[in-house]
Amino acid sequence: MTDAPLLQVTGLTKHYTGHRRLGQRIAGVPQTVVRAVSDVSLSVRHGEILGLIGESGCGKSTLGRAILRLHEPTSGKVIFDGTDVTALDADRLKAMRRRMQIIFQDPYASLNPRRTVAEIVGLPLRLHGLAKTEDELRAKVAAMVEKVGLKSNQLDRYPHQFSGGQRQRIGIARALISNPEFIVCDEPVSALDVSIQAQIIELLQELKAELGLTYLFISHDISVIGYLSDRVAVMYLGEIVEMGPVDAVLSRPRHPYTQSLMSAVPEVDAVGHKTRVRLSGDLPSPLNPPAGCKFHTRCPLATDICRSKAPVAETVGDGHVSACHRLAENLSLLEGATA
Ligand code: SF4
C-alpha cells in the first residue's frame, strides 16, 4: 500500500428526482427528491481496502455506483489515478471501466441465466477488445475461472448449475478478467451462508495481494469490515459521519452512530458495556431527511443545536475524523447516559 490516493472523491452527491407513483413528471404535481448520497468526500490509497459501513438503505451502494458512474452523480468529482471520471465522455468512460470494476451483492440476480460461464466472464474481454481470437479469449477465461477456484471444464455451464458461493466466484472472475486496479465490492458476501462468506473473503484477500488490487468494500456487517479493512468510513443517511484507520474507529469510535453500530456486536464492543448505545427507531427516509444533524432523531446525545445545524467533520486523531457537535464530551456523556 502507498500513501498516494488512487481514488479521490470530492463532494459527491446523488439525488433521484421523480414522482412517487409514476416516476415521470406531471404538470402541477411537485417532484420528489430522494437524497441518496449527499456531499461525500473520501479517498482510497493504492493497495488499500476502505471499508464502507452503514445500515441498509443508507446510500452505500448508491455511492459505489456513483463513483463508477453506473449511476450518474448529481454533482461532485471522482478523480481516478489523476483522471476526472465525472468529466469523461462515453468512449473514455468505457475505457476507464476496464480499470474500475464492481462485484455485486446478489450472485443470483447479477448473472444472466441464459449465458454460459464462458460468455459471462468473457464479455468484458469482448467489450474492451482484450482478446484477438476466440481461442485466446477462452484461454483467458479458463485461467481466470481457475484463479477464483472454479474448474475450467465448467465454462459451458449456466449459472443455475452452480451454488451461491460458486456464482459469486463467477461474478468475481467477471470483475477481474479485464485486469482492473480498483474494485467496488458491493456487499459481496451478504447473500451467502456464513461458512461460504469466509471462503469468499479469503479469496478476495488472496486476489488483492496477488493482483495488487484496491477495494472499496461495502458491508453492513462491522465484523467483516473490521477484519478486512485498512480504514473505515461510516455512512448514515447519505453522509459520511466518521472515517479513519480501522483500529482507531472501531476501538475508539467518536460518533454516537458508530458507537451504536459497535454496541450491536458484543464481540467487537471495544468501548465496553457501559458505553453501549442502542439505536431506536428506523433510518429516516431520504425523501425527507431530518434538518441539522441527520442522526438527531435517534441520537441519545442530541441537543437543540443538533436539530438545527449540521455538524462538520473534525479531526479527532491521526487520520480520524468525525462529524458531531458533541465530540469533546461524547464519551463521558455516553458512559453517564447508559451506566
Ligand atoms: Fe448526536 Fe448531535 Fe452528535 Fe448528531 S451532532 S451525532 S445528534 S450529538
Side-chain angles (χ1 to χ4, degrees):
M1 187 166 68
T2 72
D3 282 343
L6 177 63
L7 180 81
Q8 185 81 49
V9 174
T10 309
L12 198 66
T13 295
K14 178 60 187 175
H15 293 171
Y16 298 95
T17 56
H19 289 275
R20 230 174 282 205
R21 286 193 189 152
L22 300 175
Q24 58 189 6
R25 190 169 178 77
I26 304 170
V29 178
Q31 283 197 305
T32 55
V33 179
V34 178
R35 293 170 170 79
V37 173
S38 300
D39 196 22
V40 165
S41 296
L42 55 81
S43 64
V44 190
R45 296 192 280 265
H46 281 271
E48 184 179 44
I49 300 179
L50 177 66
L52 182 61
I53 182 86
E55 291 165 278
S56 294
C58 74
K60 307 183 298 294
S61 293
T62 304
L63 174 60
R65 285 164 168 75
I67 286 171
L68 301 179
R69 280 184 65 189
L70 294 173
H71 292 190
E72 201 61 48
T74 304
S75 61
K77 269 195 190 319
V78 176
I79 307 293
F80 179 78
D81 198 20
T83 298
D84 185 352
V85 175
T86 42
L88 295 178
D89 61 24
D91 287 344
R92 292 176 66 214
L93 178 61
K94 180 184 164 194
M96 183 59 87
R97 289 252 171 80
R98 186 197 67 71
R99 304 175 63 191
M100 306 172 77
Q101 283 288 331
I102 184 168
I103 299 167
F104 293 101
Q105 173 179 358
D106 189 339
Y108 294 89
S110 65
L111 302 179
N112 187 331
R114 294 189 183 81
R115 303 273 187 216
T116 64
V117 173
E119 290 169 331
I120 291 168
V121 178
L123 184 59
L125 295 179
R126 292 188 194 283
L127 288 174
H128 297 292
L130 298 174
K132 292 189 180 71
T133 65
E134 287 299 311
D135 285 348
E136 183 186 352
L137 186 141
R138 193 164 173 94
K140 284 186 171 180
V141 170
M144 180 52 69
V145 159
E146 291 195 342
K147 194 184 283 291
V148 301
L150 298 173
K151 294 188 172 65
S152 57
N153 63 8
Q154 296 174 317
L155 291 189
D156 296 317
R157 295 188 186 178
Y158 291 85
H160 74 269
Q161 295 175 285
F162 293 89
S163 67
Q166 288 174 321
R167 288 182 191 215
Q168 195 55 295
R169 290 175 191 267
I170 297 169
I172 292 169
R174 176 179 58 187
L176 298 186
I177 191 81
S178 61
N179 198 23
E181 296 137 73
F182 173 71
I183 310 284
V184 173
C185 303
D186 185 6
E187 302 252 19
V189 297
S190 301
L192 304 176
D193 291 345
V194 172
S195 59
I196 306 299
Q197 288 185 12
Q199 295 173 15
I200 297 297
I201 287 171
E202 191 178 336
L203 173 65
L204 290 169
Q205 286 182 302
E206 288 170 3
L207 291 168
K208 175 186 174 294
E210 182 181 342
L211 304 174
L213 299 168
T214 301
Y215 292 157
L216 175 65
F217 195 97
I218 298 170
S219 179
H220 64 272
D221 186 335
I222 204 158
S223 304
V224 171
I225 291 288
Y227 175 71
L228 264 179
S229 309
D230 299 299
R231 288 187 305 128
V232 60
V234 182
M235 195 163 188
Y236 186 81
L237 210 56
E239 297 177 349
I240 302 294
V241 297
E242 184 157 20
M243 182 158 51
V246 70
D247 290 344
V249 172
L250 300 194
S251 66
R252 195 171 171 77
R254 297 300 305 277
H255 194 281
Y257 179 60
T258 316
Q259 290 165 344
S260 71
L261 292 178
M262 296 298 296
S263 297
V265 187
E267 61 267 33
V268 294
D269 181 12
V271 291
H273 177 73
K274 275 188 156 186
T275 59
R276 286 192 177 190
V277 183
R278 302 292 183 198
L279 271 186
S280 60
D282 295 325
L283 193 69
S285 169
L287 269 170
N288 186 24
C293 174
K294 289 181 177 175
F295 189 54
H296 83 250
T297 56
R298 303 167 83 191
C299 181
L301 304 183
T303 59
D304 285 348
I305 190 173
C306 306
R307 289 180 260 280
S308 58
K309 186 177 174 190
V312 295
E314 293 178 37
T315 298
V316 293
D318 190 11
H320 184 180
V321 295
S322 185
C324 172
H325 289 304
R326 307 191 70 184
L327 283 173
E329 324 144 74
N330 68 1
L331 282 179
S332 57
L333 280 169
L334 280 160
E335 284 174 7
T338 58

